[in-house]
């Protein structure tokens, strides 16, 4: 029966470890251990096969476990009940304890008695794992996970009426790691039971309490009212609930058993209506319906839940605690798998973020290059506008000069007496020109400050482009608009070419105007040119 061997493997390993010498044990010693195990299982003569098993006189633990599985435990019935399996485990554990108790009980100052240490040993073997030693791959060792050891220590502390410090245990578990038997017993005795005020009886009761929970698979115990079969009266009993049975006694000492109710997966529990202070519920079995009661509603709910749980785990040959341990291990494995998946996902996200940042950096560099080109286009636009204004001004100057020259030639003698008045008006106009030029300079300074603010804003936008991927598209749209503007400027420049050609023709026409002028003509030309500049400045404003 492989399940029974699996349950007692840790105990057998401790017995094997106490007999071994350099990872092997002589067959003569193993024959005694095998004979005792076979006697407990009602199998006789199973140790004789060791003489013909392997050619060497010494066996490793793997070889000895293989022999037990195929020559001893395979002879047991494949289907058996949980109480029988539990009884076999108890007997085999006691035999193994007799072999290894001397080495396992050796310590400086013992707090627990021998019987309590045996019970803790069985709990350790129940929750422990048989793993290969990190230093020697051929050597095995039974270790207890810090979480499993913490469950035992926590229940022991609660049974002693002390306060449990979870953070302190996590720090201790992280420093020790996996608990071997010596470390596990030393921590329980020195850290939690080393207080001189604790009475020895309290320690025994506390160990018995956790032994009942882990080894005896006691799901719940306490006082219950039970209705008699012949007399319909409710009598109070001390009840102990296990996965396969509900046993009731006269008192909490559990010395006088009054009855036992078998529980299987076909049993059900229902709340029942009752009169008085007793809160009743019914345990329905295939053979009979039992009626129980509690003092309050909360206790009734707890007992109903416990009974349903016992019925759910009653099938099979594994106890309640072994199933709970498997569930905890499965949950821990799922958590570890989720943690690994989360770490892998985070690493993938980090790589994706780094790739996105690199791509964003490239886009920012492209945007900077485009902005640089945009600045160059803006400078070219300004230069072209300046040249266009100069050309336009030159054309206007030429037209005004020509018109004034013709007018001055016609009215030269009539306006000679008005020369002084015109000079005064000219001075006034020059003063107005200076004022307008000053206003123009102020306006130009304001535009320059706006341009600097625009450059500052552009730098801020560039910083935002590095941080926010979402604004990259906006930057690209802005670059596209800039390219459209540059294209529009090119179109305008192309449209201005006929105007420039007309200006060239006008200059050629002026080249035919006579250049000989009198002093009065020259004065009038200067006045006309100044007047044209004033008009041009007004146009610019």
């Amino acid at each position: 029966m492989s399940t029974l061997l699996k349950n007692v493997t840790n105990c057998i390993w401790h017995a094997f470890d106490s007999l071994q010498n350099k990872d092997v044990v002589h067959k003569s010693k193993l024959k005694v251990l095998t004979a005792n195990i076979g006697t407990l299982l009602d199998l006789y003569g199973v140790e004789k096969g060791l003489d013909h098993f392997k050619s060497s006189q010494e066996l490793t633990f793997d070889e000895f476990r293989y022999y037990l599985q195929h020559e001893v435990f395979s002879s047991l019935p494949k289907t058996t009940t949980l109480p029988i399996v539990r009884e076999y485990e108890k007997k085999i554990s006691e035999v193994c304890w007799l072999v290894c108790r001397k080495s396992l009980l050796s310590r400086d100052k013992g707090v627990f008695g021998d019987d309590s240490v045996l019970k803790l040993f069985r709990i350790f073997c129940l929750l422990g794992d048989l793993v290969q030693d990190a230093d020697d791959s051929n050597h095995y060792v039974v270790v207890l996970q810090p979480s499993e050891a913490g469950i035992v220590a926590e229940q022991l502390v609660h049974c002693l009426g002390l306060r449990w410090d979870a953070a302190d245990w996590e720090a201790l578990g992280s420093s020790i790691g996996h608990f071997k038997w010596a470390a596990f017993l030393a921590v329980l005795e020195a850290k939690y039971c080393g207080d001189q005020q604790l009475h020895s009886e309290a320690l025994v009761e506390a160990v018995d309490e956790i032994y009942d929970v882990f080894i005896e698979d006691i799901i719940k115990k306490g006082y219950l009212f039970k209705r008699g079969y012949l007399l319909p009266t409710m009598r109070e009993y001390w009840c102990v609930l296990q996965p396969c049975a509900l046993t009731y006694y006269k008192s909490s000492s559990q010395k006088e058993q009054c009855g036992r109710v078998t529980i299987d997966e076909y049993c059900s529990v229902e709340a029942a209506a009752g009169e008085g202070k007793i809160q009743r519920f019914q345990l329905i079995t295939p053979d009979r319906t039992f009626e129980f009661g509690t003092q309050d509603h909360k206790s009734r709910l707890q007992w109903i839940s416990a009974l349903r749980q016992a019925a759910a785990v009653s099938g099979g040959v594994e106890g309640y605690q072994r199933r709970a341990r498997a569930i905890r291990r499965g949950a821990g494995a799922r958590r570890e798998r989720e943690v690994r998946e989360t770490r892998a996902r985070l690493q993938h996200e980090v790589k994706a973020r780094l790739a996105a940042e690199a791509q964003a950096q490239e886009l920012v560099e492209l945007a900077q290059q485009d902005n640089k080109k945009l600045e160059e286009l803006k400078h070219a636009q300004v230069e072209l506008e300046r040249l266009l204004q100069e050309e336009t001004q030159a054309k206007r100057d030429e037209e005004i000069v020509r018109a004034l020259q013709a007018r001055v030639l016609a009215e030269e003698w009539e306006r000679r007496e008005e020369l002084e008045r015109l000079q005064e008006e000219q001075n006034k106009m020059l003063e107005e020109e200076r004022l307008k030029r000053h206003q123009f300079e102020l306006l130009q300074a304001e535009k320059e400050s706006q341009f600097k603010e625009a450059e500052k804003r552009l730098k801020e936008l560039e910083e935002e482009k590095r941080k926010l991927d979402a604004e990259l598209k906006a930057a690209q749209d802005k670059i596209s608009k800039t390219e459209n503007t540059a294209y529009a400027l090119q179109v305008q420049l192309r449209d201005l070419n006929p105007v420039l050609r007309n200006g060239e023709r006008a200059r050629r026409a002026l080249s035919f105007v006579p250049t000989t002028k009198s002093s009065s003509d020259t004065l009038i030309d200067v006045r006309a040119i100044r007047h044209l500049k004033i008009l041009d400045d007004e146009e610019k404003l």
Side-chain angles (χ1 to χ4, degrees):
M1 194 160 105
S2 59
T3 303
L4 178 59
L5 177 60
K6 179 181 177 182
N7 294 345
V8 298
T9 297
N10 293 339
C11 297
I12 295 175
W13 179 87
H14 279 93
F16 185 91
D17 184 61
S18 64
L19 300 174
Q20 71 178 350
N21 181 19
K22 295 182 180 180
D23 299 333
V24 293
V25 179
H26 199 274
K27 286 183 178 181
S28 59
K29 297 179 181 180
L30 294 178
K31 287 174 68 175
V32 177
L33 179 59
T34 306
N36 290 328
I37 295 175
T39 303
L40 295 176
L41 300 176
D42 292 332
L43 301 174
Y44 301 96
V46 292
E47 74 281 2
K48 296 179 181 179
L50 282 171
D51 296 331
H52 308 287
F53 181 72
K54 299 291 183 179
S55 58
S56 62
Q57 293 299 315
E58 295 176 335
L59 297 179
T60 63
F61 181 72
D62 287 331
E63 293 171 346
F64 182 57
R65 182 169 53 178
Y66 179 85
Y67 179 81
L68 290 177
Q69 180 179 357
H70 291 82
E71 299 296 334
V72 180
F73 287 89
S74 61
S75 301
L76 295 174
K78 294 184 179 180
T79 58
T80 184
T81 60
L82 181 59
I84 296 176
V85 173
R86 189 180 291 118
E87 186 65 24
Y88 283 155
E89 291 179 12
K90 181 180 180 182
K91 292 179 179 179
I92 294 174
S93 299
E94 291 175 352
V95 168
C96 295
W97 174 254
L98 291 175
V99 177
C100 60
R101 66 186 300 273
K102 184 177 180 180
S103 60
L104 298 184
L105 285 175
S106 60
R107 58 194 189 279
D108 295 336
K109 295 180 180 179
V111 177
F112 296 112
D114 292 351
D115 187 57
S116 297
V117 175
L118 170 59
K119 293 179 179 179
L120 291 174
F121 170 74
R122 290 200 61 191
I123 295 173
F124 179 83
C125 291
L126 170 69
L127 301 178
D129 295 318
L130 183 65
V131 296
Q132 290 182 342
D133 195 350
D135 300 331
D136 186 4
S137 60
N138 295 324
H139 183 69
Y140 287 94
V141 62
V142 176
V143 295
L144 194 60
Q145 300 289 339
S147 58
E148 302 284 353
I151 294 173
V152 179
E154 181 180 3
Q155 294 201 16
L156 179 63
V157 168
H158 289 325
C159 292
L160 292 174
L162 302 177
R163 183 176 176 273
W164 172 252
D165 190 352
D168 182 41
W169 176 262
E170 289 181 0
L172 179 64
S174 61
S175 62
I176 296 179
H178 295 83
F179 286 83
K180 295 183 180 179
W181 163 252
F184 174 70
L185 184 61
V187 168
L188 293 183
E189 289 186 332
K191 187 173 181 62
Y192 298 108
C193 302
D195 192 353
Q196 299 296 332
Q197 297 179 358
L198 292 175
H199 198 270
S200 60
E201 294 181 358
L203 294 175
V204 172
E205 291 180 358
V207 173
D208 290 342
E209 186 72 20
I210 62 175
Y211 180 83
D212 290 341
V213 173
F214 287 98
I215 303 302
E216 298 296 337
D217 274 344
I218 295 178
I219 300 175
K220 187 175 179 58
K221 56 184 177 180
Y223 284 101
L224 281 177
F225 292 99
K226 178 182 176 298
R227 184 174 181 178
Y229 182 70
L230 298 177
L231 299 177
T233 56
M234 300 293 287
R235 294 185 60 185
E236 192 174 30
Y237 296 95
W238 176 260
C239 297
V240 177
L241 177 62
Q242 293 175 293
C244 297
L246 175 65
T247 309
Y248 48 97
Y249 305 86
K250 282 188 176 182
S251 62
S252 59
S253 62
Q254 300 181 191
K255 293 182 180 179
E256 299 182 19
Q257 180 176 336
C258 298
R260 180 183 178 89
V261 180
T262 303
I263 297 176
D264 54 21
E265 63 270 18
Y266 302 105
C267 296
S268 61
V269 186
E270 296 180 358
E275 299 178 357
K277 298 181 179 180
I278 298 178
Q279 302 291 326
R280 301 170 185 264
F281 63 91
Q282 292 180 345
L283 174 60
I284 304 172
T285 66
D287 300 330
R288 179 184 165 189
T289 300
F290 298 88
E291 185 172 350
F292 296 93
T294 60
Q295 293 285 357
D296 52 66
H297 180 64
K298 180 180 179 181
S299 299
R300 180 175 70 171
L301 292 178
Q302 292 176 351
W303 275 101
I304 290 175
S305 177
L307 285 167
R308 288 175 178 172
Q309 192 176 19
V313 300
S314 60
V317 293
E318 286 192 348
Y320 170 71
Q321 287 298 328
R322 293 188 187 276
R323 294 188 180 185
R325 174 173 173 268
I327 293 173
R328 288 195 301 269
R329 292 294 177 86
R334 286 195 299 272
R335 285 195 298 269
E336 292 180 358
R337 185 170 61 254
E338 291 175 357
V339 168
R340 290 195 298 270
E341 292 176 355
T342 303
R343 288 178 180 174
R345 186 168 59 253
L346 289 176
Q347 291 177 356
H348 179 71
E349 291 178 356
V350 167
K351 292 180 180 179
R353 181 173 61 82
L354 293 176
E357 289 179 355
Q359 186 178 5
Q361 185 65 27
E362 294 177 359
L363 292 176
V364 168
E365 292 177 357
L366 292 176
Q368 290 177 351
Q369 295 176 1
D370 292 339
N371 290 334
K372 186 176 180 180
K373 292 180 181 179
L374 178 62
E375 291 294 331
E376 294 176 356
L377 291 174
K378 285 183 178 180
H379 290 305
Q381 179 185 0
V382 172
E383 185 68 19
L384 290 174
E385 289 178 353
R386 185 181 64 80
L387 294 174
L388 180 61
Q389 289 177 358
E390 290 179 357
E391 185 72 22
T392 304
Q393 185 66 32
K395 182 179 179 180
R396 289 179 181 178
D397 291 344
E398 289 176 356
E399 292 176 354
I400 292 173
V401 168
R402 188 168 57 252
L404 287 175
Q405 186 177 12
R407 184 178 178 182
V408 168
L409 290 174
E411 298 178 355
E412 179 180 0
W413 296 103
E414 296 176 358
R415 294 182 178 274
R416 186 178 293 274
E417 62 272 11
E418 297 179 358
L419 180 60
E420 295 179 357
R421 184 177 61 82
L422 292 173
Q423 289 178 350
E424 293 178 356
E425 291 179 356
Q426 185 178 5
N427 292 332
K428 183 177 179 181
M429 292 172 66
L430 289 173
E431 187 67 24
E432 291 176 356
E433 182 182 0
R434 292 190 190 96
L435 180 62
K436 290 179 180 180
R437 186 178 298 277
H438 178 67
Q439 293 176 355
F440 176 75
E441 290 175 353
L442 293 177
L443 180 60
Q444 186 176 6
E446 181 180 0
K447 289 183 177 180
E448 289 178 355
S449 63
Q450 291 178 357
F451 181 73
K452 290 180 179 179
E453 291 178 358
E455 287 181 343
K456 183 178 179 181
R457 179 58 181 167
L458 183 60
K459 291 180 180 179
E460 293 177 355
L461 291 174
E462 291 175 354
E463 289 296 329
E464 292 177 355
K465 289 174 184 178
R466 295 187 185 96
K467 298 179 181 178
L468 303 175
D469 297 336
E471 295 183 1
L472 290 175
K473 186 177 180 180
Q476 294 175 353
D477 295 338
K478 187 175 180 180
I479 293 171
S480 177
K481 290 181 181 179
T482 304
E483 294 177 352
N484 294 334
T485 305
Y487 178 77
L489 290 176
Q490 293 178 358
V491 173
Q492 290 179 3
L493 291 176
R494 188 168 59 251
D495 295 335
L496 286 176
N497 289 330
V499 177
L500 296 177
R501 288 194 296 271
N502 292 332
E504 182 66 23
R505 287 195 300 270
R507 282 194 300 270
R508 292 177 180 177
L510 286 176
S511 63
F512 295 98
V513 178
T515 58
T516 59
K517 298 179 183 179
S518 62
S519 61
S520 62
D521 294 337
T522 304
L523 180 63
I524 293 172
D525 291 343
V526 170
R527 177 173 171 269
I529 291 171
R530 290 178 179 175
H531 182 66
L532 288 174
K533 289 182 179 180
I534 292 170
L535 294 176
D536 183 68
D537 292 338
E538 288 179 351
E539 269 189 9
K540 289 181 180 180
L541 294 176

